[in-house]
Amino acid sequence: PISDEYTGIQLKVAEMYEKLGMFEEAHTIYVEMLYRYFDALHTPERVSEEKRPHLIQKDLRVLIKSLEMSKDVATAKRDLLAHLLLAQEEVLTRSPELKKFFDRRREKITAASGRHAVEEFESFVNEDNIQLDQDGYMILNLQKDSSAWEPFKEEFFTARDLYTAYCLSSKDITSALSCKLTTVEWMVMADMPPGQILLSQANLGSLLYLQAERFEAQIHQLKLKRNEETSLNPGQDKNIIQALRQLHRNRDSCFEMATNCYQSVIKFAKKNHKLRFNAKDLLDPSAAQAIALSTYGMGVINLHKGVLAKAERLLKDSITLARETDFQELLKEADRELTKVSKAKETKLKQEGKEIASN
């Protein structure tokens, strides 16, 4: 049975188990509920059209609960993907517009992978998409019909972020990045709170930076291989040179897109000063955290480029911003990167000292 009365009792029992610390028993109930929801939604004509969105919302809520307790990452990731695809199909069925957009996006991804290139990205944080009212609170200035996402859009995007986190935990940066690119774009279409869009784009910048670092590691390995292999024939050497060129292009493209992600959030915040001052009044700290994370991201990129003075200033700014919203994770990371800046400055001074001495 999937009636509200029956599942309501099951949820109460599961919550009671949780309070007693009996997490395995609670998890078993959640998984059993998920199977029944999934089966009902997959069986033609079992659930009426008007009840499907409500049932999908319940399904995603139970899914998120069950994932919080799951110890088996592989199974959790597989279940998450299956339920996400079910919700996604529902959205596409209810909105032909979105289906067209989704098909175009799939074509773009296929074309990029065919060229071994990185998917292109354009910032969604701009004055066309996001505006502030006279009190400095954000309003989404989009004439989008987001009814296709209702009433489960909050749960849908929470689940998508969980999928990105699972991909990252298994070091699958490519899948995490692809998922996040779509998420940011869809958040705009679904009329999500603008602060959450800002934070999602800042997180996308961090994923792009991670991907750039991964390409850099591959470049390093390939160069080592080329130097060590003495018996390479001209054809093999040519292939390695071509692969290196593509990796360099991909790396540069990721750094560029990460910079674009961060800069657009920072630029938007600078243009809209009220955004920062009102951050403390808002219950949702997403906008303030997005600005802090983007400032930190630009600091890390400048450290990577060797622009140490700018990197130091940006990292210190990000610490100040992170303290304002008690963004503890970022405080730790920014402190760690500042230590790297200090070490890099010391190394640079020693190097300059040696050069002066030798002259």
Side-chain angles (χ1 to χ4, degrees):
I2 52 164
S3 66
D4 284 357
E5 293 82 8
Y6 185 80
T7 54
I9 292 165
Q10 279 194 301
L11 281 172
K12 280 191 173 71
V13 173
E15 281 162 11
M16 183 192 73
Y17 277 138
E18 279 189 67
K19 281 173 188 164
L20 293 168
M22 298 165 74
F23 298 112
E24 274 189 39
E25 288 81 354
H27 186 247
T28 303
I29 291 177
Y30 290 137
V31 169
E32 190 193 315
M33 289 175 76
L34 282 175
Y35 277 124
R36 270 193 275 112
Y37 283 147
F38 195 78
D39 184 54
L41 287 161
H42 252 296
T43 309
E45 294 172 20
R46 172 110 180 258
V47 183
S48 65
E49 285 301 313
E50 65 270 16
K51 284 187 179 172
R52 283 184 71 83
H54 172 62
L55 197 62
I56 284 172
Q57 184 183 34
K58 286 169 72 176
D59 176 63
L60 289 173
R61 278 180 182 171
V62 174
L63 173 72
I64 292 161
K65 272 278 201 192
S66 77
L67 293 172
E68 284 168 4
M69 296 176 189
S70 179
K71 289 173 185 162
D72 183 349
V73 175
T75 306
K77 189 178 173 185
R78 191 188 63 223
D79 289 348
L80 175 53
L81 188 59
H83 289 263
L84 262 176
L85 286 171
L86 187 72
Q88 192 172 291
E89 281 306 314
E90 186 69 20
V91 172
L92 298 181
T93 305
R94 291 163 74 193
S95 171
E97 235 175 72
L98 275 169
K99 188 165 184 344
K100 278 183 204 160
F101 157 79
F102 190 71
D103 291 341
R104 277 200 309 273
R105 178 161 170 67
R106 208 157 20 196
E107 283 166 22
K108 261 168 71 178
I109 294 167
T110 310
S113 61
R115 302 192 309 272
H116 303 290
V118 176
E119 208 180 323
E120 285 304 309
F121 161 78
E122 284 174 30
S123 169
F124 296 100
V125 175
N126 54 50
E127 266 73 13
D128 294 334
N129 284 349
I130 300 172
Q131 288 192 345
L132 300 185
D133 64 18
Q134 64 272 27
D135 300 317
Y137 292 103
M138 290 190 288
I139 45 172
L140 207 60
N141 184 32
L142 276 174
Q143 298 306 306
K144 298 276 181 196
D145 176 16
S146 60
S147 60
W149 308 87
E150 299 295 350
F152 53 81
K153 68 179 180 184
E154 289 284 345
E155 293 83 359
F156 180 75
F157 288 110
T158 300
R160 280 193 74 90
D161 280 344
L162 277 171
Y163 186 73
T164 303
Y166 275 128
C167 292
L168 279 175
S169 70
S170 59
K171 305 275 191 293
D172 185 359
I173 298 169
T174 308
S175 296
L177 186 52
S178 183
C179 182
K180 199 68 178 173
L181 273 163
T182 312
T183 299
V184 179
E185 212 158 348
W186 281 19
M187 283 176 89
V188 174
M189 293 180 153
D191 209 6
M192 284 296 279
Q196 290 182 31
I197 295 171
L198 285 173
L199 185 55
S200 212
Q201 182 159 305
N203 281 321
L204 176 59
S206 302
L207 284 176
L208 284 159
Y209 183 83
L210 272 178
Q211 183 74 308
E213 279 193 323
R214 194 167 147 243
F215 285 134
E216 199 146 73
Q218 288 173 352
I219 288 166
H220 180 66
Q221 284 165 359
L222 211 51
K223 280 181 176 174
L224 281 177
K225 186 186 171 186
R226 193 179 173 218
N227 292 337
E228 284 166 10
E229 295 273 348
T230 49
S231 57
L232 285 176
N233 64 47
Q236 288 171 316
D237 197 44
K238 190 185 173 187
N239 287 343
I240 288 177
I241 289 166
Q242 281 177 338
L244 279 169
R245 277 183 191 148
Q246 187 59 58
L247 283 169
H248 273 102
R249 276 197 293 271
N250 287 350
R251 179 202 63 185
D252 295 346
S253 177
C254 281
F255 276 134
E256 198 180 309
M257 287 190 286
T259 303
N260 181 13
C261 270
Y262 294 138
Q263 290 279 39
S264 57
V265 172
I266 293 168
K267 191 176 160 194
F268 184 83
K270 275 183 180 168
K271 269 191 177 179
N272 302 284
H273 291 293
K274 286 182 180 178
L275 184 71
R276 259 197 60 196
F277 300 123
N278 269 327
K280 291 171 196 157
D281 311 333
L282 292 168
L283 288 171
D284 180 9
S286 303
Q289 288 185 346
I291 299 159
L293 181 57
S294 298
T295 307
Y296 161 82
M298 284 310 299
V300 173
I301 286 173
N302 277 285
L303 170 59
H304 185 88
K305 288 178 178 173
V307 188
L308 302 179
K310 193 174 181 183
E312 187 173 32
R313 178 176 57 76
L314 285 162
L315 288 167
K316 282 178 177 173
D317 284 352
S318 76
I319 287 171
T320 306
L321 291 162
R323 281 202 184 110
E324 283 177 17
T325 49
D326 196 30
F327 196 170
Q328 290 299 325
E329 291 164 56
L330 191 68
L331 281 170
K332 285 178 203 161
E333 292 297 326
D335 273 330
R336 197 176 297 142
E337 293 299 320
L338 265 179
T339 307
K340 288 183 192 174
V341 172
S342 300
K343 284 179 182 170
K345 282 167 91 175
E346 279 172 30
T347 308
K348 197 177 175 186
L349 279 170
K350 280 177 189 170
Q351 193 64 39
E352 284 168 357
K354 278 180 188 174
E355 283 171 13
I356 291 164
S358 64
N359 289 336

